[in-house]
């Protein structure tokens, strides 16, 4: 070692060897005097060696370097920063517990070149770091800025004594200024180490300036928080003091405590309110809890709201049912035209209710297109039975809590819409309309349709449990009515709990009657024309129905009639009051260019063109199917924006025709040398469904055999590969569309014969409806044949034409 007793001058040489003292959570800077408590054996040994080998100025020299992790008890050379401070041991004081208190003073920066082999303590070879002496205007400005920021820091940080500000203000040396200030900042160890390792005083001051600015921002935020908290505490104390004073004044004046008065009111209500045993016990328990609470607490408000909800519910309050079947029938017929089945079901319910003492509330589901009067029918049922009416729209409901409510643990919790609506109704047996039940959806908040399973089950809903109330509530007396446009969006288990009543679209005669009885008087009064004599002819109404609306219901019809009356009102104000008759021409003048065209039967028999029947949500439509044959390679081309099911029907029809080619007299070479194109016009409109199978098959046979199709025949039905005609849906709407288009003969599947009773008698009398079981029967009826009875039997196939002409365009 260089610190020999005989040559102490070597201790001042650069590159000298000194003992190292590892420090925990502290960094000693030059010009900094720090007391340390040393307890580790290696550290004490390093101090003793430093004291034993003092330099020529009689000062013990040691390197002070920080540990990277303070928790390391036995650090190695890798656990210690290699950049530290050469320090002098000013004082060493052994303590009774074996530890040593030492006072050290930082002298200068130094780097560890290497660790010397020594087991007793860390001995390192060090190299001094020269302080760069820089002088510039920029450095002078930086020194002043640091002084200024440190002054602001001291004013905010009460832990630094004010005299320290005077001491720092007298330091002009940049290096010493930085080292002095950093000793008083509560920075992270890594930030301090970075400052220690920065050799340039200018860069050191820049870093220090930046760190102090950050500390000042934090201190300012802390000051704001302290001020705000202090003000809030003062406000709370003031409110408490004033409340105490107010209570004392009320007591002196003899006034009753408002909170106690409120509790007494609840007790009075509880005495007079008839509730279930469970609900009564729950309210008493919550009331006992409320008496123990402070009236100003948030929990007291929650408990009060909960008690209010329980007491305000109609537990046993109910309206007396009007069980006069004749009067109920009169009300239903007065409000709605047609709708025979729903009216019959309501009258059945009232008749049974009259005979038995208690009947579980039925769960009806009206399914039908928009505008046919599902919602208004439910309102009429309430009027006919003398019950209250409540409506809950389920369109777009995604949250299960909308039905069952939120638990009381949530802030702002409330009961579900069912309980809220019953409170609003004020009776436990209203007519409850669940509107648009098919428009519910599911997301991460649960499945509301699953929550309705219990509500709509007469066997379970006598003890419906809302999450907020957490009490059983009897829903069995409620008459639930649901409405939907389609059934496929309603889950199967929910469908199983409801009695589905399908409401078909209105026929043209029904729409005329509805317009005459309800829509015209309503719109005439709504437009301020009830005192005038205004007549709209039947031809005008038919024109509005055919050319300006396309719907199953009457909403658009009502809007168009309203449009006519608005035009009349304007004319009257312009030309004076007079009697007005609106005929077809006048209606078209008022409403402008027709918006729709309705299907019309073909004008002549043609090859490859067949009239099919389709069902839409707006009612029935005729659907023309075209087929043509052209030279090619045997491809089947299908166009018209058809869905998968319809494309498969075309493939099945083609396979059936190919399998019976000889019986139909078709040369098999035609399937190899010619392409067949099947097209359904109005290609922009998506079409799908299996009921166009017979239509496509007939068009294919007509195009391949060059036999014309009758212009006055329309058909519907699904086919199999064996040629069997399967049943379809929407028969009523389809036959109405055929009648409207001027069709004389309608071919329907034999299995749909049972549905003919739903078609009005007048329509049936004007149509020839032919039930068919096989495709051959369809072809004999639809094709223009000399001997229909022989078509389909085994015959010689016709030779393929050289070039089959395309099918004629529809007239």
């Amino acid at each position: 070692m260089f610190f020999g007793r005989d040559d102490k001058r070597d201790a001042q040489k650069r590159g000298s060897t000194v003992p190292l003292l590892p420090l925990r959570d502290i960094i000693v800077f030059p010009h900094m005097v720090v007391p340390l408590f040393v307890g580790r054996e290696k550290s004490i040994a390093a101090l003793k060696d430093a004291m034993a080998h003092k330099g020529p100025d009689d000062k013990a020299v040691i390197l002070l370097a920080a540990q990277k992790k303070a928790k390391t008890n036995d650090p190695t050379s890798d656990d210690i920063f290699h950049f530290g401070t050469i320090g002098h041991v000013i004082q060493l004081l052994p303590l009774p517990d074996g530890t040593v208190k030492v006072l050290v003073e930082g002298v200068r920066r130094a780097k560890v070149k290497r660790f010397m082999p020594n087991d007793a303590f860390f001995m390192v070879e060090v190299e001094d770091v020269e302080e760069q002496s820089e002088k510039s205007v920029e450095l002078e400005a930086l020194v002043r800025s640091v002084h200024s920021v440190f002054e602001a820091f001291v004013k905010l940080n009460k832990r630094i004594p004010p005299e320290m500000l005077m001491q720092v203000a007298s330091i002009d040396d940049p290096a010493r200024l930085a080292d002095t200030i950093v000793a008083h900042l509560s920075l992270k160890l890594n930030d301090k180490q970075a400052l220690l390792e920065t050799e340039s005083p200018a860069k050191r001051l820049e870093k220090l300036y930046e760190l102090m600015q950050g500390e000042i921002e934090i201190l300012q935020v802390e000051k704001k928080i302290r001020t705000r908290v202090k003000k809030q505490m003062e406000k709370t104390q003031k409110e408490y003091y004033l409340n105490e004073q107010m209570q004392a004044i009320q007591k002196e004046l003899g006034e009753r405590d408002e909170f106690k008065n409120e509790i007494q009111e609840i007790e009075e209500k509880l005495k007079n309110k008839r509730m279930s045993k469970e609900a009564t016990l729950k309210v008493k328990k919550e009331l006992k809890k409320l008496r123990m609470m402070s009236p100003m607490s948030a929990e007291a408000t929650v408990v009060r709201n909960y008690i209010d909800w329980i007491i305000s519910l109609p537990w046993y309050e109910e309206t007396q049912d009007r069980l006069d079947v004749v009067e109920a029938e009169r009300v239903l017929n007065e409000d709605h035209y047609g709708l025979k089945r729903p009216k019959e079901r309501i009258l059945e319910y009232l008749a049974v209710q009259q005979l038995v003492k208690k009947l579980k509330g039925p769960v009806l589901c009206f399914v039908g297109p928009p505008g046919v009067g599902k919602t208004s029918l439910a309102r009429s049922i309430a009027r006919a039975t003398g019950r209250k009416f409540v409506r809950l729209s389920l369109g777009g409901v995604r949250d299960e809590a909308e039905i069952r409510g939120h638990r009381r643990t949530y802030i702002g919790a409330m009961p579900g819409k069912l309980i809220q609506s019953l409170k609003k109704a004020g009776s436990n047996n209203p007519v409850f309309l669940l509107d648009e039940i098919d428009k519910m959806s599911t997301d991460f908040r649960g499945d509301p349709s699953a929550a309705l399973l219990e509500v709509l089950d007469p066997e379970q809903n006598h003890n419906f449990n809302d999450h907020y109330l957490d009490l059983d509530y009897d829903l069995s007396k409620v008459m639930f009515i649901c409405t939907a446009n389609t059934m496929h969006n309603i889950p199967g288990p929910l469908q199983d709990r409801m009695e589905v009543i399908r409401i078909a679209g209105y026929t043209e005669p029904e729409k005329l009657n509805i317009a005459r009885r309800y829509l015209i008087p309503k719109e005439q009064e709504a437009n301020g024309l009830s005192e005038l004599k205004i007549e709209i002819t039947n031809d005008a109404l038919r024109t509005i129905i055919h050319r300006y609306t396309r719907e199953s219901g009457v909403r658009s019809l009502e809007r168009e009639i309203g449009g006519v009356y608005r035009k009349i009102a304007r004319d009257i104000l312009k030309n004076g009051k007079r009697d007005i008759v609106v005929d077809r021409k006048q209606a078209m003048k008022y409403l402008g260019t027709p918006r729709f065209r309705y299907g019309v039967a073909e004008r002549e028999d043609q090859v490859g063109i067949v009239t099919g029947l389709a069902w839409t949500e707006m009612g029935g439509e005729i659907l023309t199917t075209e087929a043509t044959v052209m030279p090619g390679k045997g491809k089947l081309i299908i166009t018209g924006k058809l869905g998968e099911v319809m494309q498969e029907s075309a493939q099945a029809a083609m396979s059936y025709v190919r399998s019976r080619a000889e019986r139909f007299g078709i040369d098999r070479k035609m399937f190899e040398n010619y392409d067949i194109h099947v097209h359904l016009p109005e290609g922009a409109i998506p079409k799908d469904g299996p009921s166009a199978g017979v239509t496509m098959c007939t068009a294919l046979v007509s195009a391949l055999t060059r036999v014309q199709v009758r212009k006055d025949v329309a058909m519907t039905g699904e086919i199999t590969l064996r040629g069997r005609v399967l049943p379809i849906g929407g028969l009523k709407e389809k036959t109405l569309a055929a009648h409207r288009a001027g069709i004389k003969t309608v071919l329907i599947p034999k299995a749909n014969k049972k549905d003919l009773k739903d078609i009005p008698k007048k329509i049936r009398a004007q149509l020839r409806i032919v039930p068919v079981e096989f495709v051959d029967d369809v072809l004999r009826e639809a094709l223009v044949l000399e001997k229909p009875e022989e078509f389909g039997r085994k015959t010689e196939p016709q030779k393929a034409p050289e070039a089959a002409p395309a099918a004629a365009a529809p007239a």
Side-chain angles (χ1 to χ4, degrees):
M1 287 189 293
F2 292 157
F3 285 102
R5 291 192 180 111
D6 298 330
D7 193 0
K8 292 183 180 180
R9 285 175 295 182
D10 290 342
Q12 297 299 323
K13 291 181 181 178
R14 297 199 178 178
S16 58
T17 305
V18 294
L20 182 144
L21 179 64
L23 305 176
R24 297 180 198 244
D25 280 336
I26 187 170
I27 291 176
V28 178
F29 285 86
H31 316 293
M32 181 177 173
V33 178
V34 185
L36 301 171
F37 289 90
V38 182
R40 289 184 285 193
E41 290 183 8
K42 283 189 176 184
S43 300
I44 294 171
L47 284 169
K48 287 181 179 178
D49 185 84
M51 294 298 289
H53 303 87
K54 292 184 179 180
D57 52 359
D58 202 31
K59 289 184 179 178
V61 180
I62 195 165
L63 179 67
L64 304 165
Q67 289 182 199
K68 293 176 181 177
K69 291 183 180 178
K71 292 181 180 179
T72 308
N73 286 322
D74 191 13
T76 62
S77 58
D78 293 331
D79 297 325
I80 300 169
F81 288 111
H82 289 196
F83 206 108
T85 305
I86 294 288
H88 291 159
V89 180
I90 301 172
Q91 188 180 15
L92 189 73
L93 180 64
L95 297 175
D97 60 354
T99 59
V100 174
K101 181 181 179 182
V102 61
L103 192 67
V104 294
E105 179 186 9
V107 178
R108 61 185 177 276
R109 286 171 168 75
K111 288 182 186 174
V112 176
K113 289 177 71 177
R114 64 192 179 97
F115 281 77
M116 306 296 292
N118 193 341
D119 295 333
F121 54 87
F122 290 111
M123 183 66 73
V124 292
E125 186 180 336
V126 296
E127 178 184 7
D128 289 352
V129 177
E130 290 286 348
E131 292 284 0
Q132 300 175 10
S133 57
E134 304 172 17
K135 283 188 179 181
S136 65
V137 176
E138 187 180 345
L139 186 60
E140 181 63 29
L142 189 58
V143 169
R144 290 184 184 181
S145 298
V146 170
H147 275 129
S148 174
V149 172
F150 184 69
E151 185 178 348
F153 178 75
V154 171
K155 286 179 181 177
L156 287 169
N157 194 340
K158 303 299 181 185
R159 290 189 292 270
I160 300 176
E163 54 267 20
M164 188 65 208
L165 193 60
M166 299 295 294
Q167 182 183 338
V168 171
S170 62
I171 301 172
D172 293 328
D173 179 40
R176 185 162 185 179
L177 177 66
D179 292 341
T180 305
I181 289 175
V182 75
H184 293 86
L185 298 181
S186 54
L187 301 175
K188 293 179 182 176
L189 185 74
N190 288 334
D191 289 337
K192 285 191 175 184
Q193 183 66 28
L195 282 167
L196 183 68
E197 293 180 6
T198 305
E199 297 179 12
S200 168
K203 289 184 180 178
R204 211 181 305 156
L205 283 174
E206 283 180 10
K207 280 187 181 178
L208 188 63
Y209 182 83
E210 187 181 331
L211 289 167
M212 277 198 294
Q213 286 284 19
E215 286 292 314
I216 285 171
E217 286 181 15
I218 293 168
L219 290 169
Q220 284 173 341
V221 172
E222 285 179 356
K223 187 178 179 182
K224 282 182 184 176
I225 292 169
R226 282 199 302 271
T227 306
R228 190 163 62 240
V229 170
K230 186 180 177 184
K231 283 182 180 178
Q232 188 65 36
M233 286 177 67
E234 287 174 355
K235 184 183 176 183
T236 306
Q237 288 173 348
K238 182 182 176 183
E239 287 177 356
Y240 175 76
Y241 178 69
L242 290 173
N243 279 325
E244 289 295 319
Q245 278 191 327
M246 193 163 64
Q247 286 179 10
I249 291 167
Q250 286 176 348
K251 197 171 182 180
E252 286 295 322
L253 291 172
E255 293 181 9
R256 293 164 70 190
D257 183 13
E258 189 178 339
F259 184 59
K260 290 179 181 176
N261 189 25
E262 191 178 348
I263 291 175
Q264 285 180 359
E265 283 181 13
I266 294 171
E267 287 174 341
E268 288 294 324
K269 285 181 182 177
L270 188 60
K271 286 179 185 177
N272 300 324
K273 179 75 175 180
R274 188 182 169 211
M275 298 189 295
S276 69
K277 186 177 180 181
E278 184 188 13
T280 306
L281 291 172
K282 191 79 171 178
V283 171
K284 286 180 178 178
K285 185 180 177 183
E286 293 293 322
L287 202 56
K288 186 178 179 182
K289 194 191 296 181
L290 186 62
R291 288 195 192 96
M292 306 297 291
M293 291 180 183
S294 165
M296 303 299 293
S297 68
E299 183 67 20
T301 307
V302 172
V303 173
R304 275 202 297 267
N305 286 341
Y306 180 68
I307 293 171
D308 283 344
W309 269 107
I310 295 177
I311 291 178
S312 61
L313 281 177
W315 291 90
Y316 293 100
E317 294 88 345
E318 60 183 72
T319 54
Q320 190 67 37
D321 281 353
R322 190 189 300 134
L323 301 175
D324 188 344
V325 178
V326 176
E327 175 63 17
E329 188 174 8
R330 187 194 66 77
V331 171
L332 291 172
N333 288 332
E334 182 184 305
D335 289 351
H336 289 84
Y337 181 84
L339 304 179
K340 186 180 176 183
R341 278 196 63 203
K343 289 177 181 176
E344 284 180 353
R345 181 65 185 84
I346 301 309
L347 296 174
E348 288 167 8
Y349 166 74
L350 291 176
V352 175
Q353 185 84 326
Q354 203 166 351
L355 295 173
V356 299
K357 290 184 178 179
K358 185 178 179 183
L359 179 68
K360 290 176 182 176
V363 180
L364 306 179
C365 183
F366 298 150
V367 179
V372 294
K374 300 184 293 296
T375 304
S376 59
L377 181 60
R379 205 180 292 273
S380 294
I381 290 167
R383 189 162 84 88
T385 56
R387 294 189 176 201
K388 298 284 184 68
F389 176 76
V390 283
R391 174 180 171 272
L392 174 59
S393 179
L394 297 175
V397 171
R398 296 168 178 266
D399 191 355
E400 183 193 348
E402 292 281 330
I403 309 298
R404 284 192 170 277
H406 296 86
R407 298 197 182 277
R408 276 199 293 157
T409 49
Y410 296 104
I411 295 170
M414 288 184 72
K417 289 288 177 64
L418 277 167
I419 296 296
Q420 290 182 40
S421 300
L422 287 170
K423 179 189 173 184
K424 187 179 176 182
S427 73
N428 69 348
N429 66 334
V431 173
F432 202 124
L433 176 65
L434 299 171
D435 216 358
E436 309 291 355
I437 198 169
D438 58 330
K439 304 298 190 301
M440 287 187 297
S441 51
T442 305
D443 68 0
F444 64 94
R445 291 169 291 189
D447 185 358
S449 62
L452 282 174
L453 293 176
E454 180 187 2
V455 175
L456 300 180
D457 191 344
E459 300 297 327
Q460 298 179 36
N461 63 9
H462 60 275
N463 54 2
F464 171 71
N465 195 293
D466 185 273
H467 284 158
Y468 178 81
L469 297 179
D470 199 22
L471 296 168
D472 289 341
Y473 189 88
D474 187 4
L475 295 176
S476 62
K477 294 182 180 179
V478 179
M479 184 176 186
F480 286 104
I481 297 177
C482 308
T483 69
N485 295 129
T486 55
M487 288 293 291
H488 62 266
N489 289 330
I490 305 174
L494 198 56
Q495 290 184 32
D496 187 54
R497 284 162 168 77
M498 301 185 293
E499 182 179 340
V500 177
I501 298 175
R502 296 189 180 273
I503 302 178
Y506 292 120
T507 63
E508 184 185 311
E510 285 174 338
K511 286 185 179 180
L512 281 171
N513 274 292
I514 291 167
R516 283 265 171 248
R517 292 189 186 188
Y518 306 103
L519 304 184
I520 288 176
K522 179 182 175 183
E523 288 301 321
Q524 192 164 342
E525 185 179 351
N527 288 282
L529 301 170
S530 54
E531 296 179 2
L532 299 176
K533 188 178 178 182
I534 300 170
E535 183 186 350
I536 300 178
T537 65
N538 283 346
D539 279 348
L541 284 175
R542 285 194 187 93
T543 301
I544 296 171
I545 291 167
H546 292 163
R547 308 301 298 276
Y548 294 91
T549 65
R550 178 174 284 177
E551 58 175 350
S552 294
V554 290
R555 279 205 188 107
S556 295
L557 179 59
E558 183 178 356
R559 280 194 291 270
E560 298 303 327
I561 291 171
V564 169
Y565 276 110
R566 285 195 296 275
K567 296 286 191 303
I568 292 171
R570 183 182 170 188
D571 282 354
I572 286 172
L573 289 175
K574 191 175 180 181
N575 304 318
K577 292 185 178 180
R578 66 185 192 281
D579 294 342
I580 295 174
V581 177
V582 180
D583 57 10
R584 179 177 177 275
K585 191 180 287 185
Q586 193 69 21
M588 292 182 74
K589 179 185 173 185
Y590 284 144
L591 297 176
T593 307
R595 296 186 187 87
F596 305 105
R597 66 175 183 86
Y598 63 95
V600 179
E602 298 294 329
R603 294 181 183 175
E604 56 186 22
D605 299 340
Q606 298 182 65
V607 173
I609 296 182
V610 184
T611 303
L613 298 173
W615 178 91
T616 69
E617 288 189 358
M618 300 303 175
E621 291 287 339
I622 68 167
L623 194 66
T624 304
T625 303
E626 301 176 351
T628 186
V629 181
M630 55 201 147
K633 297 181 180 180
K635 289 182 183 177
L636 175 63
I637 304 164
I638 308 166
T639 56
K641 202 170 185 183
L642 309 184
E644 287 183 13
V645 177
M646 223 163 184
Q647 290 185 31
E648 288 172 1
S649 291
Q651 297 283 354
M654 187 64 190
S655 297
Y656 174 73
V657 172
R658 291 184 69 172
S659 69
R660 293 180 61 83
E662 289 183 9
R663 291 183 180 272
F664 294 147
I666 301 169
D667 189 352
R668 290 195 176 277
K669 291 182 180 179
M670 291 189 74
F671 298 111
E672 299 171 5
N673 302 326
Y674 290 86
D675 289 343
I676 302 169
H677 188 161
V678 177
H679 177 68
L680 277 77
E682 298 190 27
I685 300 171
K687 312 169 190 74
D688 203 4
S691 61
V694 292
T695 314
M696 291 180 177
C697 187
T698 305
L700 288 170
V701 172
S702 172
L704 289 165
T705 60
R706 312 304 302 155
V707 177
Q708 293 179 336
V709 181
R710 296 184 187 278
K711 62 178 183 293
D712 59 349
V713 173
M715 61 189 71
T716 180
E718 182 182 358
I719 65 162
T720 67
L721 289 175
R722 294 174 295 158
R724 189 176 291 275
V725 182
L726 300 181
I728 45 83
L731 183 66
K732 179 184 176 183
E733 287 82 0
K734 290 177 179 179
T735 50
L736 291 175
H739 176 263
R740 190 170 63 231
I743 299 292
K744 302 298 181 188
T745 303
V746 179
L747 308 181
I748 67 168
K750 194 172 184 179
N752 283 108
K753 197 173 178 181
K754 64 183 187 306
D755 300 322
L756 290 175
K757 64 180 183 295
D758 295 332
I759 301 168
K761 288 183 180 178
K762 287 183 180 179
I763 306 294
R764 272 186 284 166
Q766 295 173 26
L767 288 174
R768 177 173 169 258
I769 299 173
V770 182
V772 291
E773 193 172 1
F774 296 98
V775 174
D776 289 3
D777 303 332
V778 174
L779 296 173
R780 292 188 191 105
E781 287 285 345
L783 299 180
V784 180
L785 300 168
E786 291 181 7
K787 297 180 179 180
E789 66 280 356
E790 294 182 6
F791 187 77
R793 295 179 182 176
K794 197 163 186 179
T795 56
E796 288 297 321
Q798 297 177 1
K799 291 183 180 179
E802 293 181 4

